[in-house]
Amino acid sequence: VLVTQTPERFARVMRPKVAGAWNLHEATRGLPLDAFVLFSSMASVLGAAGQGNYAASNAVLDARAHHRVAAGLPATSVNWGAWREVGMAAAQENRGERLASRGLDGLAPDEGVETFARLLSQGAVQRAAMRFHPRRWQEFHLAAARSPFLAELADDLAGQADPRGAAGSIRSQIASAPAGERRAALEAHLRDQIARVLRCEPSRVGAGTPLQQAGLDSLMAMELRNRLEASLGVSLNVTLIWRHPTVVDLAEYLASAMDIPLGASAEPALPPVPEAPPAAALTDDGAQKIAKVLRALKRLSASRRGPSEEGGTDR
C-alpha cells in the first residue's frame, strides 16, 4: 500500500501536524513555557497498515518533542490509542470494536483525562497511553510478531493469561481428538473465528453458507486469515477465503494443509438429486396437436380484443 502513496497525499495528511508543530515551536521558542504538548498517535509506535502518511506525521511530532528536550525546552508527545465515546474510533461504526478485537481497547474519556494529567506531572518526553494487548496485536498483524519491541513487551506480560489460549493450541487439540470428532472440532473453531470477525454469534454461521453472502468483505477476510494462521499454526494466502468460501470447504482445505485427516462430515449429507426422467420423443402426430392448440389459442386471443388496436380495450 505504501508504494501507491503520492507526494500530494502525504503532504495533505502531514502538513497540519508537521507545519503546525514547527510553527508553534518557532513562535514559543523564547517563552518560559510550563509545557509544550504534542498529541501524537499509537500509529507512530505500532504502525498503521494503509496509513503510512498518518504514521509518519505522528512520528514527526515524537521527533519534535525529543528535539526540543535536547535543546533544553519543555516537550511531551503522547501516543494516544483509541478512545471510547469520542474521537475517530467512536465516530466510525464498529471501528472501536475492530481495534479492540485486534488488541487495542478504548480508553474511557475520564481515564484519558486522568492519564494526561499523570503524564504532565511526570514530565515525560514521550509516552504511549493505550489499553494494549500485545499478543492479540501480534496475532492479527503478522509482521508485529517479528518486532523485538513487541516481543519484549509480550514477555513482560507473559504472566497475564490470554483468554483465547496460546497460538497453535487449537491445532494440537484437533489433531489429538478422536478421528470421528476432528471435523466437528475444526468446524466449531472456524465458526467461532468467523463469528468474531463478523461480530455475531457462532450459531449464525452456517456450515454451508458462503462467507461473502454472510457479510465477509476483503478486510474481514484478511483478519480471518490472520486469526487462522495464529490459532492453527499454518501459513495461508488471503485468497483462500474466496477459493474455499464455506466452513465445510475451509475445514477440508485446512485439514489438508495441517495434514490432519478428518472424519465424516458433521453436517448431515444432502439427499441426492434425483435424475430427471428421459424426455419422451415428440412424434409427428404430437407436434401437429401442439400446433393446433397454439392456433386455437391465437384465435381466442384475437376474439377477446376490442374493436380496434388503437382505441379499443381488452374485454
Side-chain angles (χ1 to χ4, degrees):
V1 178
L2 187 62
V3 297
T4 65
Q5 287 278 2
T6 64
E8 293 74 23
R9 289 172 63 185
F10 248 83
R12 184 167 62 251
V13 173
M14 293 187 69
R15 186 178 296 111
K17 293 199 174 192
V18 175
W22 173 258
N23 290 335
L24 286 174
H25 166 70
E26 285 290 298
T28 62
R29 188 193 292 267
L31 300 179
L33 300 180
D34 293 323
F36 185 97
V37 182
L38 299 156
F39 273 16
S40 182
S41 166
M42 48 71 63
S44 67
V45 178
L46 300 176
Q51 295 180 308
N53 45 12
Y54 180 69
S57 64
N58 285 288
V60 172
L61 297 188
D62 300 336
R64 175 63 54 209
H66 288 279
H67 169 256
R68 282 182 56 89
V69 171
L73 301 172
T76 297
S77 184
V78 184
N79 302 105
W80 288 110
W83 283 48
R84 299 198 303 269
E85 303 176 32
V86 296
M88 290 188 295
Q92 186 177 347
E93 186 179 2
N94 292 333
R95 179 180 173 86
E97 292 181 11
R98 289 199 303 271
L99 288 173
S101 70
R102 299 170 189 181
L104 196 66
D105 291 335
L107 285 168
D110 56 344
E111 290 179 306
V113 172
E114 180 185 351
T115 301
F116 182 47
R118 189 163 66 248
L119 292 176
L120 287 182
S121 66
Q122 293 174 352
V125 181
Q126 180 184 0
R127 287 290 187 273
M130 53 187 168
R131 288 189 173 278
F132 184 54
H133 304 272
R135 283 195 215 87
R136 203 183 304 169
W137 187 266
Q138 288 173 318
E139 286 180 11
F140 182 83
H141 301 86
L142 299 185
R146 299 187 296 271
S147 165
F149 167 64
L150 290 182
E152 182 177 346
L153 188 59
D155 288 342
D156 289 343
L157 301 176
Q160 299 183 11
D162 190 331
R164 292 176 302 173
S169 62
I170 297 296
R171 175 174 178 169
S172 62
Q173 292 175 21
I174 295 170
S176 60
E181 300 176 8
R182 290 174 193 159
R183 179 183 295 274
L186 179 53
E187 290 187 3
H189 176 65
L190 291 177
R191 281 195 180 97
D192 178 66
Q193 296 303 306
I194 293 167
R196 288 174 181 269
V197 173
L198 292 175
R199 316 292 189 262
C200 70
E201 293 298 321
S203 59
R204 297 183 58 186
V205 181
T209 303
L211 299 180
Q212 196 167 9
Q213 182 179 320
L216 198 82
D217 59 25
S218 57
L219 286 178
M220 291 177 176
M222 185 178 298
E223 179 178 350
L224 178 59
R225 185 276 309 267
N226 290 346
R227 284 178 173 274
L228 295 178
E229 282 196 341
S231 63
L232 300 177
V234 290
S235 180
L236 303 171
N237 192 306
V238 72
T239 60
L240 98 153
I241 306 299
W242 313 125
R243 295 200 304 267
H244 310 279
T246 69
V247 170
V248 172
D249 294 335
L250 267 177
E252 290 285 354
Y253 174 82
L254 291 170
S256 176
M258 295 184 292
D259 197 22
I260 298 176
L262 296 181
S265 175
E267 294 288 321
L270 295 175
V273 178
E275 294 185 5
L282 186 63
T283 63
D284 291 342
D285 182 58
Q288 291 175 4
K289 289 181 179 179
I290 291 175
K292 185 177 180 179
V293 171
L294 290 176
R295 285 195 297 269
L297 289 173
K298 187 175 181 180
R299 286 195 301 271
L300 179 62
S301 176
S303 69
R304 290 178 59 84
R305 291 188 177 276
S308 69
E309 293 292 333
E310 291 82 5
T313 59
D314 291 346
R315 288 198 292 272

